[in-house]
Amino acid sequence: MKNILIISQDASMRDLLVDSLSKHEFSARVVENRQQAAGKIASEAIDLAIVDLSLGREDGLRLVRDFGAKIDLPIIIVSGDNLDEADKVTGLETGARAYITKPFGLPELLTRVRAALRERPERDRNRIFHFDDWRVSAKRRRLRRGTDREVKLTAGEFNLLMAFLKNPGRVLSREQLLVATRVYHQEIYDRSIDVQILRLRRKLGQNTGSTPQYIRTERGAGYVFDRVVNVEELRTRSH
């Protein structure tokens, strides 16, 4: 049974979500603020968080930003407000897998929850990807260059990088990258993907003239990872 953490100050919303999720064989936990959420995540195995922006726009987006950058936790944003595009992009690209506006249908919510909970294939978790002097651990979700310190990536940026590493030399459309990063808000996907690629390029040092151009734009088609990628399979211990 998957554990869902509901973060909301709206009692009626909490009751609605708990009732609906429980009827579909999910285990729901409820907290009211960021501090309680951090404590719950530290003490229990949480599979997905639903963040209601009734917390307040700034607090809610900060929570999504902080959790999305630090842990691999799927997040769904729920809001009664029509956020502007910049705020939607901020929430989605820093960890949220979906954005839902109130009022919403419970079937839509359940669809988003199930989609966000899809596990990554175990095979990918046991792989190390190498290109040039870069090393990417799928299991630990870490990016390093040589002996340098770890390069911090948001959840969206890491998923985007993994999509490229598993398809080197292949042109990937924005729609394919949208699916790979698990961003489901179709209205803004073009800008969301472009912003994430811009930030990923910067973290790979691509903006400097002497640095290889890893992510190349194919005008009118999408993007391509223009480097040879070697894959190292880690052995799993048998008991």
Side-chain angles (χ1 to χ4, degrees):
M1 180 178 290
K2 297 294 186 180
N3 297 323
I4 311 297
L5 180 63
I6 300 166
I7 309 165
S8 174
Q9 293 182 346
D10 183 339
S12 60
M13 173 59 63
R14 295 197 303 264
D15 292 344
L16 175 66
L17 292 176
V18 169
D19 182 64
S20 177
L21 292 169
S22 298
K23 288 179 179 178
H24 290 81
E25 300 183 351
F26 293 108
S27 177
R29 280 93 162 120
V30 175
V31 296
E32 296 185 7
N33 55 52
R34 181 174 176 272
Q35 290 72 27
Q36 292 176 0
K40 186 69 70 174
I41 290 171
S43 62
E44 297 186 30
I46 301 299
D47 298 296
L48 179 141
I50 298 176
V51 179
D52 182 3
L53 294 190
S54 65
L55 300 172
R57 172 179 167 278
E58 293 299 330
D59 286 346
L61 288 175
R62 180 185 174 189
L63 185 152
V64 173
R65 183 184 301 111
D66 289 350
F67 287 171
K70 295 176 182 177
I71 58 177
D72 182 25
L73 178 68
I75 299 172
I76 294 177
I77 295 175
V78 175
S79 175
D81 301 320
N82 292 318
L83 297 184
D84 60 33
E85 182 174 326
D87 285 334
K88 293 176 184 177
V89 170
T90 297
L92 291 170
E93 72 182 7
T94 56
R97 303 289 173 84
Y99 175 91
I100 303 177
T101 303
K102 304 175 189 175
F104 54 84
L106 293 179
E108 177 189 6
L109 174 68
L110 291 169
T111 296
R112 299 297 180 95
V113 167
R114 292 189 178 109
L117 285 171
R118 289 174 188 150
E119 295 184 358
R120 294 181 300 276
E122 192 67 32
R123 180 182 61 182
D124 287 340
R125 295 186 183 185
N126 295 322
R127 287 180 169 180
I128 302 292
F129 294 80
H130 301 268
F131 61 97
D132 289 353
D133 54 349
W134 291 92
R135 172 188 172 94
V136 181
S137 169
K139 182 176 182 178
R140 297 186 177 183
R141 297 178 68 82
R142 290 180 178 176
L143 169 67
R144 288 182 180 277
R145 184 171 192 175
T147 58
D148 294 344
R149 296 175 60 185
E150 175 185 354
V151 177
K152 297 293 185 180
L153 299 179
T154 66
E157 290 165 355
F158 187 88
N159 291 344
L160 183 64
L161 177 59
M162 287 298 296
F164 283 124
L165 296 182
K166 289 187 283 188
N167 297 278
R170 175 185 173 191
V171 177
L172 298 177
S173 67
R174 285 184 174 85
E175 183 176 3
Q176 289 173 310
L177 294 172
L178 171 70
V179 173
T181 55
R182 296 193 177 102
V183 175
Y184 291 103
H185 201 277
Q186 186 175 2
E187 176 186 345
I188 63 161
Y189 78 89
D190 277 350
R191 172 160 172 74
S192 179
I193 291 299
D194 290 343
V195 169
Q196 289 188 73
I197 286 177
L198 175 62
R199 293 183 177 180
L200 183 57
R201 280 172 167 167
R202 287 174 178 169
K203 291 182 179 182
L204 293 173
Q206 189 165 322
N207 284 5
T208 61
S210 60
T211 302
Q213 302 297 295
Y214 295 113
I215 302 173
R216 180 164 47 83
T217 302
E218 287 290 327
R219 189 174 299 277
Y223 298 92
V224 60
F225 194 79
D226 195 15
R227 271 296 178 278
V228 173
V229 177
N230 296 307
V231 182
E232 175 186 353
E233 295 281 355
L234 298 181
R235 293 182 179 179
T236 56
R237 295 181 180 179
S238 58
H239 298 279

